[in-house]
Each structure stands twice: as structure tokens, then as C-alpha cells.
Amino acid sequence: MTVTVERRVTGKQTHAGHPRRPRDSYALFLLPGVLAFLAVIIVPFLMNTGVSFTDWQGVGSPEWSGLANYRELLDDSEFWASFRHSLFMVVAMAAVPTAVGLVLAAALFDYVGKHFGSKTVAVLRACFYLPQVLPIAVAGIVWSWILAPDSGSLNELLKAIGLSSWQQDWLGDPDIALYSVMGVMVWVQLGFPLVIFMAGLQRVDPQLYEAAELDGAGWWRRFWHITLPQIRPEIYVVLTWCTIAALKVFGAVYVLTKGGPGGATNVPSYFSFTTFFEKTQVGYGAAISTVLTVIILLLSLIGLKLQTRAEEREGS
Amino acid sequence: MTGALRRYPVLIALCIAALFMIVPFLIVTLNAFKSPAEYSQNGPLSLPDGLYLDGLKDFWERVDYTQKLVNSLLISGGVAVFAVILSILNAYAIGIGRIKGRTWVLAFFVLANMLPQEALVYPIYYLSKEAGLYDTRLSVIIVFTVIQAAFGTYLLSSVLGQFPREIIEAARIDGANKWQILWRIVVPVSRPTIGVLLVFFFIWTWNEFLLPLVMLISNDNQTVSVALGVLQGQRLMDATMTNAAALLGVLPALVFFLVFQRTLTRGIAVGAVK
């Protein structure tokens, strides 16, 4: 990689601004980075893709099987279920936090910031952001204990306020486990959009709000016609990042439910993990993770496109 | 005046929502100081009768928490430093050197940053076994140095792209070479961004789960996250033990949060929108 870069630069050296010190030698600074990337990311990634076309148990030599793994995936209901659960995770980790984060950020910025001071805003923002700094494994421990069926805090609380009939085995009942995990993920994720949106709101011209207020626009109209369009770039960034995070969710599922009960909360990354390391069907696991990669890369590209377009519109 | 009165419901609603966010922390703290007998008698919602510290102590000794903290500190600290150095070198070539084809080089790093770890985990596991690095802290440091540097390269390149050229020209005329310009001028001037990156890399690595779970199987090498996650996954703990574990897992995160709050909240916005 570096070599081609250098050659191309040397070829065009007459156009360089400083013929005395050719720019191409900067490429040397890139050498450690590119080598490390090849070793840790590119080679493993190509290996993984290669292995996905083979039948391999992790020992011995892989046997070429063409598209057999992918064909098997198409008929694997566990695989489809895991991706269906991914959509639920996108709702819990991208859609809901973005929507709620927008309203909270606007309320904090608009109402609380103006009438109760920035200290109050900082304290409230810190409360919402706190779960974000927690290792996901620790968040999982906290919530699996709160949601425990026997003397879990949530069930105890429901009993204490006279709603015993609402008590559930939150993580053990196949019908509700996925929704419980979703609830936990909303809690984990909410702080991220909130902080980004609040930062974005700071660059909105306050005169826009004042003018709208003078014209008699209520809070919702100002939110809809000023806040939303103004921080559109941030919305795209948050949606892209959170959607990718949702597709990759692993730690929470591992700690909360281990994909159970009966696969009710299985997600692609946990599915590939168990296929790799518990079932040792490495070829099949590689196929799952390759499909996941393709989806994530496509979504990233779409997200980047939308973001660039939003920023261009902003600039014009 | 009525306007101000109308605003209180909004504040109150926000305070209730914020309270809901921190209730899990409060309730874990409450229960980490209860004895098992007290817990089974009064349940999770009562206030503790006194400070019962044996639960925390037992858990600390049982998982050798000191060792886990040392491992996490070593791995996260090492990654933060090495990844920042790697990011600086990459970004110097891309942002200041403006090497030909830099857009493609940058795209290469961004793409590498977006690859899910699931698509790397088995080959990394396999290759590290071949190289004799499996179940060493060094292997995790190497892998995360590269993964974090992908983001660092992306962010620093755009920051250095706007670096005032006159400063570099002036240094060049004074006879400084590229290496000297990098460490004596570019790095000191970019210190704020580098600080943000250090904090982020440290905390991100501290919180990582999948790769450390796969790579660090022996007790002596595990990080805090992995040790707690594995214990929980095996459901070996009773309620008081779980709370001790949760509190000990929460505390470092809380300390980082209080120490780095400004960097975090400011940096996260810079990082995402750049």
C-alpha cells in the first residue's frame, strides 16, 4: 500500500509545492500503521471471509465447500430469528434513544437551560449519560439482578405498590425476555444521542428561537421547525452509529440471557460466537459474521452518504 | 410569571426521568452493604441496617479483584498510549503530509474501524495461538491498539488537516526535519485532541467484552469486565455477591466519569460530528 502511494507521489513531484522537500517521504510515517492494520484487521478479515467458504472445525485443514454454508444459512431458522431480533435491537438502541434523546435534549436546552441555569442542565445530563460509561458486562449484572424472578427489585417494587399480578420472570419467559433486553438497552444507550444533540443545539442561532417565539410558535412547533432541521447532521450520525452498535450487540446478551430462553434473545453476534467457540463450526460461524459485516458496511456507507448530504445542504 | 410556573412540570418530569436512570446505581449500592440474612429478610428495597462489608470483601478475595484491576489498567493504559502514538503517525502523513491518495488511505482506516469484531475474532484467536500470544495481555493490547487507532486516525487527520501551515513552514525554514516538527510542534499544539483520544481509548478498552472474553481465559489475565461477565454468565453468585460484584464494577467507571466528565461530554460530540 505504502509503496504505491510513494510511487504515485514521486511521479507527480513537479506539481508539489516544495520541490526541495518532496512530500512523498511522509508516507514513511504511515508504514507502522499500515503494517499493523494488515496484521490485525485486514489479514484476519480476509481469513474469516475465506473460511466462510469452507467446512472447518478449527483443527486440521479447512475443506473447500463453496457456498454451502451460505445455502445452509438461508434455511436456518435460528439465523433468521437472530436477525429478526437484531431489528428489535435497532428499535431499542437506535430508534427509541434517538427520538427520546431529541425531546430530552431540546427540553433540557430550551426550558431548563434558559430558566434554571446551566448547572441544573449539567447535573441532569450527567444522570442520563452515566450508563454510557459503564462496562456493558457490569450493566448486565446490575439488570439481571433487578429483573430476577425471585426477590428481584422490579418484582419486589411491583409487589410493594400493589401490582403483584404484573410480576414476571422478565428474562426467563420466552415471550417477554426480548422486550426486557430491549428495555435495558434503551437505558444503556439513551445518554449518547442526548449528549450529541445537546452539543449540536449549541450551534443553533438563538435568534431563530426568539423570532419564532415572538411569532407565537409553541414549543412543539419550534421543536419541529427549528430544532429538528438544524441538527439533522447529528441525527444521521447518531442513527448510523447506534444502528451499527445495535447490530453488534453482544455483551448484554451474553450476560443477561445467553441468547435464551430457547433462543428468544439470540442475536447474530452471539450466534456467531457460539457457533465458533461452542459448536466449533468455524466455517459456518464465519459465514454468519460475514453476512453481518456486509450489512454493517452497507449501512455505514448509507449513513455516511446521508450525513455528507445533510452537511452539504447545511453549508449551502 | 405564569410562563415560569408552566416550566416547573417540565423540570419535574425531567428530574423523574433522570432519577429513573440512576435508580439502578442507587439500589445496587444499597444492597452491596447488606448481609445475606438481611437481604433475604427485607428484600432489595429496604435500607440497610448497618454497613456490612464482608460481602464486598469476600467477593474481592474470591475473584482476586486487585489483579483484575491491574490487568484492566495495564491493558487500557497501554492501548491508550500506543493507539494515540499510532494515530498521530498516521494522521501526520494524512493530515499534514497530505500524501497522494490520502482519501483512499483514510477510507481504508475508517472501513477497518467499522468492521465488526465478530468478523475478526476467530482468525485473531487462531493466529494468536499460532504466534504463542494467546491468553496474554499483550495480545489484547496489540489488537485494541490497532482497532482504536482506526478511529484516532480518522479524527486526528481531520484536525491536523486544518493545522496552520505557517507554523510548519516557519519551523522548516529554521531547519527542523519532519520528525522534529511532528514531536516539537504538531503534537504539543494538538494536545487537547490527543487528550480526548487518550481518555476515550482508555475507557473504550476498559469496557470491551467480546475480544477479551475470547482471548483472556486464565484468571491471572482477565480484565474487570470479563471476570464479572463470566461469573454472571455462569450464575454462580447469590444476590449479595452479585451486588458486591456490580458495585465493584460500577466504581471504576464512576471514578472515570467524575474525573473525565468534561472531556467525555465535550469530546464525544467532537468525535462523532467531525
Side-chain angles (χ1 to χ4, degrees), chain A:
Chain A
M1 183 107 210
T2 325
V3 178
T4 51
V5 169
E6 270 180 66
R7 273 207 205 113
R8 268 204 251 139
V9 176
T10 330
K12 264 196 143 187
Q13 208 176 325
T14 41
H15 293 278
H18 310 277
R20 209 161 39 86
R21 284 173 185 274
R23 286 173 171 188
D24 58 350
S25 55
Y26 276 105
L28 271 180
F29 288 91
L30 215 52
L31 196 63
V34 170
L35 287 180
F37 267 75
L38 281 175
V40 175
I41 293 184
I42 304 302
V43 168
F45 174 65
L46 294 178
M47 269 178 79
N48 189 71
T49 315
V51 167
S52 75
F53 298 107
T54 67
D55 196 15
W56 192 36
Q57 266 73 52
V59 285
S61 49
E63 225 168 274
W64 184 261
S65 64
L67 290 170
N69 286 325
Y70 292 93
R71 243 177 260 128
E72 201 182 326
L73 276 182
L74 288 177
D75 291 328
D76 187 346
S77 61
E78 221 180 322
F79 171 76
W80 290 106
S82 75
F83 270 98
R84 216 169 31 246
H85 300 152
S86 264
L87 294 181
F88 283 86
M89 288 302 155
V90 170
V91 172
M93 290 177 68
V96 173
T98 304
V100 177
L102 264 172
V103 174
L104 285 175
L108 276 175
F109 185 79
D110 211 19
Y111 270 131
V112 181
K114 272 181 203 136
H115 301 278
F116 302 96
S118 57
K119 274 249 167 68
T120 322
V121 173
V123 170
L124 286 172
R125 187 183 57 188
C127 292
F128 286 105
Y129 190 68
L130 202 52
Q132 274 278 304
V133 288
L134 214 56
I136 192 70
V138 175
I141 294 176
V142 171
W143 279 99
S144 63
W145 167 72
I146 291 177
L147 298 174
D150 311 314
S151 77
S153 305
L154 183 56
N155 280 346
E156 289 288 316
L157 182 74
L158 288 171
K159 197 166 85 185
I161 56 175
L163 292 170
S164 297
S165 59
W166 288 20
Q167 290 183 357
Q168 303 282 351
D169 183 359
W170 299 100
L171 295 168
D173 181 339
D175 291 331
I176 51 175
L178 186 59
Y179 299 105
S180 305
V181 175
M182 285 172 74
V184 174
M185 294 324 287
V186 170
W187 178 82
V188 167
Q189 199 72 0
L190 188 58
F192 176 69
L194 179 79
V195 168
I196 303 247
F197 292 151
M198 289 199 66
L201 282 170
Q202 263 155 21
R203 58 175 175 74
V204 179
D205 186 354
Q207 287 186 338
L208 279 177
Y209 285 104
E210 280 160 26
E213 205 159 1
L214 282 178
D215 288 345
W219 191 81
W220 273 110
R221 287 194 58 185
R222 274 178 284 147
F223 176 73
W224 200 254
H225 293 289
I226 300 174
T227 308
L228 276 188
Q230 289 288 326
I231 61 171
R232 198 175 289 151
E234 278 85 357
I235 296 176
Y236 287 130
V237 171
V238 163
L239 278 176
T240 312
W241 276 40
C242 292
T243 305
I244 293 172
L247 291 173
K248 292 198 234 182
V249 65
F250 172 81
V253 169
Y254 180 93
V255 177
L256 283 171
T257 61
K258 292 221 145 192
T265 57
N266 203 3
V267 289
S269 86
Y270 188 76
F271 187 31
S272 72
F273 171 81
T274 50
T275 313
F276 279 137
F277 296 104
E278 280 166 27
K279 300 181 203 151
T280 58
Q281 298 175 339
V282 180
Y284 198 56
I288 301 167
S289 58
T290 306
V291 173
L292 183 64
T293 308
V294 170
I295 294 174
I296 286 175
L297 287 184
L298 278 177
L299 277 172
S300 315
L301 288 178
I302 295 171
L304 276 175
K305 254 258 139 72
L306 284 174
Q307 188 197 337
T308 341
R309 218 186 285 163
E311 268 161 15
E312 272 164 14
R313 220 178 297 150
E314 186 92 334
S316 60

Side-chain angles (χ1 to χ4, degrees), chain B residues 95-114:
Chain B
I96 302 238
R98 293 175 182 263
I99 49 158
K100 197 80 203 288
R102 59 179 178 279
T103 324
W104 290 106
V105 178
L106 199 57
F108 167 77
F109 284 112
V110 172
L111 222 61
N113 186 233
M114 283 171 176

